[in-house]
Amino acid sequence: MLTRPGASVGCKARIHRVFCAWRPLRIELSRLPRLKILQRSHELHVRLNSRNLVFCWTNESPMMKLLRCLTLAMCMPLLADQGQAQIAPLIQNINARQTTDLDGRWQTIVDPYDVGALDYRAQQIKGNGAFFMNHKPQSESELVEYDFDTSGQLNVPGDWNTQRDSLLFYEGSVWYKRSFDYAKPSKKRLFVHFGAANYQAWVYLNGEELGHHVGGFTPFDCEITDRVKPQGNFLILRVNNTRGLDQVPTVNTDWWNYGGITRPVTLVEVPETFVQDYSVQLERGSTHKIKGWVQLNGAQRQQKVTVRIPEARLSQTLQTDAKGRAEFSFDADLTLWSPENPKLYDVEIASETDRVTDRIGFRSIEVRGTDILLNGKPVFLRGIDIHEEAPTRAGRAWSEDDARTLLGWAKELGCNFVRLAHYPHNEALLRMADQMGIMVWGEVPVYWTIQWENPSTLRNAENQLNEMITRDHNRAALIIYSVANETPISDARNRFLRQLIQDAHSADPTRLVSAALQNEETVEGSRFVIHINDPIANDLDVMGNNEYIGWYVRRPEDADVTDWTSKYNKPLVMSEFGGDALFGLHGTASTRWTEEYQENLYQHQIAMLKRISFLRGTSPWILKDFRSPRRTLPGIQDYFNRKGLVSDRGEKKKAFFVLQGFYRDLRNAEVPASPR
Ligand code: GCU
């Protein structure tokens, strides 16, 4: 018997509903991205889109049994169809493929009430009224209430917030349209690749749904091989950045909720069976054994594949299995990648039908007690935190130039390490870090108070982590995956984070896992003692810790009487510390918001940090002032977090030089383990 959830109706009424309800069900069938079937004793639960349809039968008559089977039969094609409107597995190293970029000016419609997708009953729109149909009136009397071609344009890539004053605070949906022609050769497949779109994106081509992606900071691909036309294709996205409690991040962050297609969009043409992904890295803890795998995608899964590093005269021939996968390991005598010598090799992965080349560095990273070992030697991570904001213009960073400038400032500070907060940054920055010799801490936006008990929130976080690892696992610069920032301790939180830590270790055993933890403080006599005793640290390789002594907690000078202990024999990276200063505002060292206050705070911090025996890295908050909706103080903050060492116009504050001095001393002292 068919009813909608919670509706308690009599048997007769139920029969009636079955038939008249078929109409909506049948229509809905054609657009169902998600279907779940659950049988419990005498009830059958079918989840369609976000609707629960419950078939329940009591003393089921032969007629009812027939009806139930019919319903099931009707759902089967859905299951088959489900594969179509799916986000495709991520293709590794897009830029080394045959590509066409779709960047530039896209037609857009700002749609705060989602009228392009939902009708006045908040039901999904069918037919030409849906904006993804890009319908034009066919007659003078036809009612069409949207038109991409006269609705304005936005740059892609680019957040919408800094492109139009009216969109600075905008949270909601924006529709994007891009038309293109594409003469796809036969025996080739075609994908459209998105570097990122914040926060959710529904993708359509020529009026058909391609897929739905959740997560604003990781790439996704959609296959359009069977859908692309030689001419007149229209690619449409609905991008929505509305915050939600069950999302990752959740509703509360200290960064601007930039919406839009924030990274490049690319058409990627590959052979029918192509090299989908590969990993070519040194085995964990080894400086001379390469271990990796190759994954093919396509019908011809079993092929001969070679992995070659020509400069090192290395070549390995493999055979992929029935799933298109081959694993390998071999000895290699290579120049190891390090900040002092960021050596990258040309690596070629060639199958019988495809060939991809990449620039890869080889280094080992591991921990031993409280030491972090790079290529087997203790290293101190001289770092700085970075948000993904453009260095010399407003809005999200995405380009090589943005990366070169941001990492250039980090280099000027004397950094060999950066923490990319609080979400995966663009691939251009990871590859620039490879080239410039800067080690990287990558992070997923499990930030502050996530819904720890919500299974779909966990799946979402796992998916974002997996997408980050899939995109970046060949980058030598990337040494640490962080699974969380400043999350309140609870059993549910610990379970959630343990799952992510496990996922990271199993997806990529070659890298370290960390998180920015909470700590506990006691007062002992005239001194403060901070105890790193967060239970989750037990599962981490490296402990991260954020502290704001001198800004949110007491005065800068109190760092002089603060000691640190740790329950764990593990290395600590002080992943955040610092205070706000408005560039050009001067005063006494105790006057908030002045450069002198920030300078003084850094001096006391550095003296304290030097006294922490298990400290193996620092990344102060933060390289550059950045936009935040939480920072409203007029004339000082004006919606900017001012903890940058560089202002939002690229001007260096006094504290910049304090940190630069500290890192210079460290480098000169070549202090193997920790600063003294
Ligand atoms: C927090 C948080 C940052 C935030 C910073 C601040 O620790 O991790 O995202 O911007 O503190 O308050 O400035």
Side-chain angles (χ1 to χ4, degrees):
M1 200 62 80
L2 170 66
T3 55
R4 296 204 172 276
S8 55
V9 291
C11 183
K12 244 204 208 55
R14 283 197 184 156
I15 293 179
H16 162 69
R17 252 179 221 263
V18 167
F19 288 103
C20 47
W22 274 123
R23 240 186 328 285
L25 188 62
R26 201 172 25 259
I27 295 172
E28 234 170 68
L29 289 180
S30 67
R31 293 198 38 229
L32 286 176
R34 221 180 299 280
L35 173 69
K36 213 185 251 170
I37 297 187
L38 199 65
Q39 171 132 8
R40 283 208 198 98
S41 66
H42 63 284
E43 278 185 1
L44 182 69
H45 291 248
V46 176
R47 185 165 175 77
L48 294 177
N49 279 349
S50 55
R51 297 221 182 112
N52 271 332
L53 299 178
V54 182
F55 295 79
C56 54
W57 59 97
T58 49
N59 51 33
E60 184 182 33
S61 68
M63 163 66 169
M64 284 304 159
K65 197 173 266 170
L66 176 67
L67 190 65
R68 180 159 56 80
C69 302
L70 268 181
T71 324
L72 269 182
M74 277 191 57
C75 290
M76 295 328 278
L78 277 180
L79 288 172
D81 181 35
Q82 199 185 346
Q84 290 303 320
Q86 282 282 341
I87 297 293
L90 212 50
I91 301 174
Q92 179 68 218
N93 189 9
I94 290 294
N95 295 336
R97 315 284 178 153
Q98 164 112 17
T99 58
T100 308
D101 98 43
L102 291 182
D103 296 345
R105 301 291 280 169
W106 287 47
Q107 308 294 137
T108 53
I109 302 176
V110 178
D111 184 10
Y113 280 42
D114 285 312
V115 296
L118 305 174
D119 66 17
Y120 75 116
R121 293 265 184 267
Q123 303 299 316
Q124 276 182 349
I125 293 187
K126 322 281 180 304
N128 293 332
F131 287 10
F132 65 79
M133 297 301 286
N134 187 30
H135 184 66
K136 299 283 182 187
Q138 301 304 304
S139 71
E140 62 187 10
S141 61
E142 186 182 1
L143 171 61
V144 178
E145 294 187 284
Y146 67 95
D147 184 352
F148 276 101
D149 298 328
T150 54
S151 297
Q153 298 178 328
L154 287 170
N155 290 332
V156 168
D159 57 277
W160 59 59
N161 311 71
T162 55
Q163 292 190 55
R164 269 187 227 158
D165 293 351
S166 60
L167 295 176
L168 182 60
F169 288 88
Y170 180 66
E171 295 186 309
S173 288
V174 172
W175 294 80
Y176 288 79
K177 178 182 80 82
R178 177 73 158 78
S179 301
F180 65 95
D181 301 337
Y182 198 91
K184 183 183 76 63
S186 62
K187 300 209 171 317
K188 289 285 183 179
R189 294 168 66 184
L190 192 65
F191 292 80
V192 55
H193 174 89
F194 301 91
N198 190 51
Y199 171 76
Q200 293 194 59
W202 291 263
V203 189
Y204 307 86
L205 182 72
N206 302 336
E208 289 194 83
E209 182 169 2
L210 295 180
H212 170 219
H213 184 260
V214 176
F217 306 101
T218 45
F220 53 101
D221 296 329
C222 298
E223 176 150 19
I224 59 173
T225 305
D226 306 329
R227 299 177 191 234
V228 71
K229 302 181 294 184
Q231 256 130 20
N233 296 288
F234 52 95
L235 177 65
I236 291 180
L237 272 79
R238 169 158 75 107
V239 180
N240 184 297
N241 71 337
T242 307
R243 288 167 291 130
L245 283 168
D246 62 345
Q247 294 176 192
V248 180
T250 183
V251 290
N252 191 12
T253 70
D254 190 25
W255 68 80
W256 206 262
N257 184 21
Y258 291 110
I261 306 177
T262 52
R263 294 180 192 156
V265 182
T266 317
L267 292 174
V268 186
E269 187 184 290
V270 288
E272 283 177 324
T273 299
F274 65 96
V275 177
Q276 165 94 47
D277 197 354
Y278 51 85
S279 171
V280 189
Q281 291 280 284
L282 286 176
E283 189 171 38
R284 182 156 177 159
S286 166
T287 55
H288 59 271
K289 193 165 210 52
I290 288 184
K291 192 164 187 271
W293 47 267
V294 176
Q295 177 66 56
L296 300 183
N297 176 331
Q300 223 187 315
R301 294 211 178 95
Q302 292 179 294
Q303 294 192 16
K304 194 163 71 58
V305 171
T306 52
V307 176
R308 286 184 341 114
I309 309 178
E311 188 186 338
R313 302 181 197 292
L314 290 167
S315 176
Q316 277 283 314
T317 302
L318 323 160
Q319 179 65 38
T320 49
D321 62 19
K323 291 202 179 89
R325 189 175 172 93
E327 307 207 347
F328 58 84
S329 79
F330 54 91
D331 287 338
D333 178 14
L334 298 165
T335 304
L336 299 176
W337 182 97
S338 69
E340 294 70 32
N341 179 18
K343 170 68 183 168
L344 299 176
Y345 284 87
D346 286 327
V347 175
E348 180 200 77
I349 296 100
S351 72
E352 293 160 32
T353 55
D354 194 14
R355 178 178 170 279
V356 187
T357 57
D358 204 344
R359 297 277 291 156
I360 298 181
F362 297 91
R363 54 96 191 96
S364 82
I365 190 77
E366 54 190 319
V367 289
R368 190 180 53 206
T370 58
D371 280 342
I372 299 174
L373 306 180
L374 175 69
N375 299 331
K377 297 197 200 72
V379 67
F380 187 88
L381 306 180
R382 304 188 306 269
I384 188 80
D385 293 325
I386 300 182
H387 254 305
E388 191 185 48
E389 282 199 351
T392 52
R393 69 179 190 283
R396 279 276 176 236
W398 56 270
S399 69
E400 266 192 30
D401 287 348
D402 293 337
R404 196 173 289 108
T405 306
L406 290 168
L407 295 182
W409 285 337
K411 276 264 180 188
E412 220 182 307
L413 268 172
C415 294
N416 61 5
F417 172 70
V418 289
R419 172 182 176 221
L420 304 181
H422 293 290
Y423 38 77
H425 288 211
N426 58 81
E427 187 172 354
L429 194 130
L430 272 294
R431 287 185 177 271
M432 190 58 71
D434 259 5
Q435 286 168 34
M436 292 172 76
I438 296 187
M439 293 175 278
V440 169
W441 158 309
E443 187 161 294
V444 283
V446 175
Y447 182 91
W448 289 348
T449 47
I450 295 281
Q451 279 191 348
W452 309 112
E453 313 263 9
N454 184 334
S456 77
T457 303
L458 175 59
R459 270 197 308 280
N460 179 349
E462 288 186 288
N463 184 50
Q464 295 190 41
L465 178 66
N466 183 44
E467 289 179 348
M468 171 172 80
I469 295 176
T470 302
R471 187 196 70 187
D472 299 332
H473 63 253
N474 287 305
R475 304 282 72 78
L478 181 59
I479 59 167
I480 297 176
Y481 295 122
S482 166
V483 295
N485 180 73
E486 291 186 359
T487 51
I489 298 172
S490 72
D491 292 348
R493 171 261 200 183
N494 295 347
R495 272 195 307 277
F496 192 109
L497 296 190
R498 286 205 171 98
Q499 182 57 56
L500 293 180
I501 296 166
Q502 206 182 307
D503 291 352
H505 278 139
S506 55
D508 179 357
T510 69
R511 288 182 173 80
L512 307 175
V513 179
S514 186
L517 302 174
Q518 301 295 79
N519 55 56
E520 217 173 357
E521 184 180 282
T522 55
V523 180
E524 291 166 23
S526 61
R527 303 186 71 82
F528 303 96
V529 181
I530 300 185
H531 309 274
I532 308 261
N533 56 8
D534 188 322
I536 211 74
N538 210 23
D539 306 75
L540 298 172
D541 303 298
V542 173
M543 307 181 296
N545 183 83
N546 299 355
E547 53 90 4
Y548 281 94
I549 298 165
W551 188 255
Y552 296 124
V553 181
R554 296 191 292 280
R555 304 161 314 134
E557 293 70 18
D558 291 323
D560 304 346
V561 290
T562 302
D563 305 315
W564 293 75
T565 71
S566 164
K567 198 172 146 187
Y568 307 97
N569 181 28
K570 295 188 181 206
L572 171 69
V573 170
M574 201 61 84
S575 40
E576 287 184 34
F577 59 92
D580 289 61
L582 179 65
F583 175 78
L585 187 64
H586 295 288
T588 66
S590 57
T591 310
R592 290 253 177 190
W593 310 110
T594 62
E595 289 193 45
E596 286 70 22
Y597 188 105
Q598 190 188 45
E599 178 186 38
N600 177 46
L601 182 149
Y602 268 75
Q603 284 157 346
H604 287 280
Q605 280 289 319
I606 290 167
M608 175 190 73
L609 294 164
K610 285 179 175 174
R611 290 187 285 106
I612 306 176
S613 62
F614 49 95
L615 185 76
R616 295 296 180 271
T618 50
S619 57
W621 192 257
I622 185 165
L623 179 64
K624 187 178 86 70
D625 292 356
F626 61 95
R627 273 186 202 280
S628 166
R630 299 171 58 80
R631 311 298 170 172
T632 63
L633 187 60
I636 300 270
Q637 294 179 315
D638 295 318
Y639 293 107
F640 276 86
N641 182 312
R642 298 285 181 198
K643 293 190 181 67
L645 296 178
V646 176
S647 75
D648 55 304
R649 288 191 296 271
E651 303 137 322
K652 297 185 177 69
K653 304 176 191 177
K654 283 185 169 184
F656 181 100
F657 304 101
V658 175
L659 187 68
Q660 189 185 55
F662 173 44
Y663 285 168
R664 189 183 313 115
D665 298 349
L666 279 180
R667 235 192 5 261
N668 297 346
E670 291 290 312
V671 176
S674 63
R676 291 252 166 270

